[in-house]
Amino acid sequence: MKQYNAYDNMLAVLEAAADKLGLNPNDYEAVKYPERELKVAVPIKMDNGRIRIFEGYRVQHSSSRGPCKGGIRYHPEVDIDEVKALAAWMSLKCAVVDIPYGGAKGAVKVDPAELSRGELERLTRRFTAMILPLIGPEKDIPAPDINTNAEIMGWIMDTYSMFKGYSVPGVVTGKPLDIGGSLGRQEATGRGVSIITAEALRYLHIEGKNIAIQGMGNVGSVTAKLLHEAGCRIIAVSDVSGGCYNKEGIDVEGILRHLASRSKTLEGYSEPGMETISNEELLSLGCDVLIPCALQNQITAQNAGGVRARLIVEGANGPTTVEADSILAEKGIPVIPDILANAGGVVVSYFEWVQNIQNLMWDEAQINDTLKKIMIRGFNRVLDFVREKNVSFRIAANMLALQKLSAAKTTRGVFP
Ligand code: NAD
């Protein structure tokens, strides 16, 4: 069986979109490769006095449309190809929703659940120090991703500021509110996913609203909460510990209370009428919308044939492989791609950065209203390509992004 590689997956889609667009080969070559890759070995003094080394990366895919922007992921199985793919998706995502950023991504190969809070803070601060030459408010701005959060962003901001000798809130987004974080940032990705889900359901005339969500972290839990509040029935959710299914609808408030407790996972959760299911079973449930909000490479050639959802909305980055995409297309299941569906996070990160560099504050209504406007504008622009070129939502979003990226590259020209 062919080994999954996120970077190959990203390139296969990009190439198909470049082809449909009739993109000049020079323009395609220019967007294929990341501009810069940094690999670091991060030494940490563990609580028991031993030194452990963790591998870390920061990849900048493109700065043609503005400063590079992208999250930092802590995960034991992350590798450089995954980070390169994620960095490219950030460039494409920012182009789809038309915010003036390029793309980047960072990661540390670590399972943070195995670290004490002190070890996690030392790891974050040392990693920040080691990628310091690359980051900064005018060149590359990190944000949260899998297993990183506002507190970790606060440590990054403080470490960077200590090196500079003054406070630099604009170096990172997704910070706590009391050090320059933005209202609405924590919920932004899930809010964007729920806005796009509503638009897609309306466009596709899907009346039913039974939803299954894989992943109950930042993105999945906010998506569940907002769709539930909007009148949808969340019939199943899952995370790394397994899943819960209730055909009458899961008690979303109960799940969120359980997750807010010390366990942080669904393990041990129960409610009347609920069945325990596996992640694999969740992906093949009969439902109106399946929303993967965990890791990449979840809907694959092996399980796509069993998907029974009427629509898939990608909250996670890269949850569907290229092979799975073809199988879903044959089955007539539309997929709203990650670079559109989960762009809400980077949109409000942009608002946070704008507030930081101008020293002003927006209220929450202004943030949520502008986010909604930008997400719907992105959806409609992608839809224009879907209709005009008769392509899938994924190819359409990639075509829109490629057009914007290559226009910026052409306008700037090739130095020297
Ligand atoms: P998170 O760490 O808050 O949550 C991840 C969730 O996935 C957790 O519930 C975890 O238990 C679950 N999970 C992990 N491994 C799993 C497995 N093997 N099977 C099933 N579930 C598993 O991360 P997040 O910030 O919510 O990010 C989730 C996805 O959304 C990622 O793909 C991330 O790149 C993407 N994303 C996040 C943001 C953001 O603002 N946080 C923005 C855009 C895209």
Side-chain angles (χ1 to χ4, degrees):
M1 195 177 70
K2 187 175 150 258
Q3 192 73 24
Y4 169 80
N5 181 300
Y7 189 60
D8 291 344
N9 207 55
M10 184 280 297
L11 281 181
V13 175
L14 203 63
E15 196 165 334
D19 217 40
K20 279 273 174 202
L21 209 53
L23 202 68
N24 175 324
N26 276 346
D27 290 345
Y28 177 58
E29 279 304 298
V31 294
K32 245 170 106 170
Y33 303 102
E35 281 175 14
R36 224 176 249 117
E37 293 171 42
L38 176 66
K39 181 172 159 197
V40 291
V42 191
I44 300 302
K45 190 177 265 184
M46 305 302 281
D47 292 345
N48 64 9
R50 272 188 52 218
I51 301 288
R52 269 186 72 184
I53 309 288
F54 296 91
E55 203 166 284
Y57 319 94
R58 186 75 187 166
V59 174
Q60 297 176 337
H61 173 262
S62 170
S63 58
S64 298
R65 298 184 65 257
C68 299
K69 184 85 188 81
I72 291 180
R73 169 175 296 195
Y74 288 172
H75 198 274
E77 274 137 39
V78 74
D79 61 35
I80 186 71
D81 277 351
E82 182 179 323
V83 183
K84 279 162 64 179
L86 288 160
W89 283 326
M90 286 305 299
S91 301
L92 300 170
K93 193 178 299 187
C94 293
V96 166
V97 285
D98 206 7
I99 53 172
Y101 277 145
K105 204 81 179 190
V108 179
K109 206 175 172 66
V110 61
D111 180 358
E114 289 176 0
L115 302 188
S116 69
R117 193 167 176 280
E119 289 165 345
L120 189 65
E121 178 172 353
R122 292 197 288 283
L123 175 77
T124 302
R125 289 183 180 278
R126 181 61 187 249
F127 176 62
T128 306
M130 295 180 85
I131 63 166
L132 205 87
L134 259 54
I135 60 173
E138 59 299 295
K139 49 184 178 174
D140 183 355
I141 307 126
D145 193 70
I146 292 182
N147 289 328
T148 57
N149 56 22
E151 182 178 43
I152 291 175
M153 297 307 114
W155 292 332
I156 294 175
M157 177 271 195
D158 183 67
T159 305
Y160 185 88
S161 301
M162 287 299 109
F163 275 94
K164 288 286 168 188
Y166 53 91
S167 281
V168 190
V171 66
V172 74
T173 58
K175 299 177 291 293
L177 282 178
D178 50 11
I179 56 167
S182 176
L183 293 166
R185 172 60 186 90
Q186 203 255 327
E187 303 82 23
T189 307
R191 185 175 294 280
V193 173
S194 63
I195 292 166
I196 293 295
T197 303
E199 289 302 301
L201 285 170
R202 190 171 311 128
Y203 169 69
L204 296 163
H205 303 292
I206 297 178
E207 297 289 337
K209 290 185 174 170
N210 285 339
I211 314 253
I213 302 179
Q214 184 197 39
M216 273 284 109
N218 173 286
V219 181
S221 61
V222 174
T223 301
K225 176 175 177 284
L226 295 178
L227 287 175
H228 170 65
E229 285 171 5
C232 295
R233 185 190 291 163
I234 312 299
I235 58 164
V237 297
S238 69
D239 71 4
V240 70
S241 69
C244 319
Y245 169 62
N246 188 338
K247 66 176 188 317
E248 300 306 326
I250 291 275
D251 171 10
V252 174
E253 281 104 15
I255 293 258
L256 295 178
R257 268 197 308 278
H258 178 85
L259 288 171
S261 70
R262 282 169 38 163
S263 79
K264 304 275 184 228
T265 69
L266 294 168
E267 199 168 5
Y269 179 78
S270 74
E271 65 180 48
M274 183 198 109
E275 287 169 44
T276 300
I277 56 169
S278 66
N279 267 287
E280 212 44 48
E281 287 168 324
L282 179 135
L283 296 176
S284 60
L285 278 178
C287 60
D288 296 306
V289 194
L290 171 63
I291 313 186
C293 296
L295 301 174
Q296 64 280 356
N297 191 25
Q298 296 301 300
I299 307 175
T300 64
Q302 279 67 47
N303 62 13
V307 171
R308 289 188 292 140
R310 298 166 72 193
L311 166 69
I312 296 176
V313 179
E314 295 184 332
N317 284 311
T320 315
T321 66
V322 176
E323 295 81 10
D325 245 350
S326 316
I327 298 169
L328 295 169
E330 270 167 34
K331 287 167 66 99
I333 303 174
V335 181
I336 309 295
D338 44 11
I339 58 171
L340 168 64
N342 70 30
V346 75
V347 170
V348 178
S349 272
Y350 168 61
F351 299 161
E352 179 175 332
W353 175 78
V354 166
Q355 293 171 82
N356 291 157
I357 58 180
Q358 295 185 68
N359 290 314
L360 49 80
M361 287 165 80
W362 296 5
D363 64 36
E364 198 161 358
Q366 184 180 2
I367 285 162
N368 290 344
D369 289 350
T370 319
L371 169 66
K372 188 167 181 185
K373 224 178 282 169
I374 290 180
M375 294 304 293
I376 293 177
R377 182 185 69 187
F379 181 84
N380 287 328
R381 286 187 179 163
V382 171
L383 201 52
D384 288 342
F385 275 87
V386 170
R387 288 176 170 142
E388 279 167 29
K389 310 284 180 188
N390 193 24
V391 290
S392 68
F393 279 91
R394 188 182 312 283
I395 295 296
N398 275 268
M399 287 169 80
L400 169 62
L402 268 176
Q403 201 176 57
K404 290 206 161 292
L405 259 175
S406 54
K409 282 189 183 286
T410 306
T411 306
R412 290 180 63 156
V414 180
F415 173 84

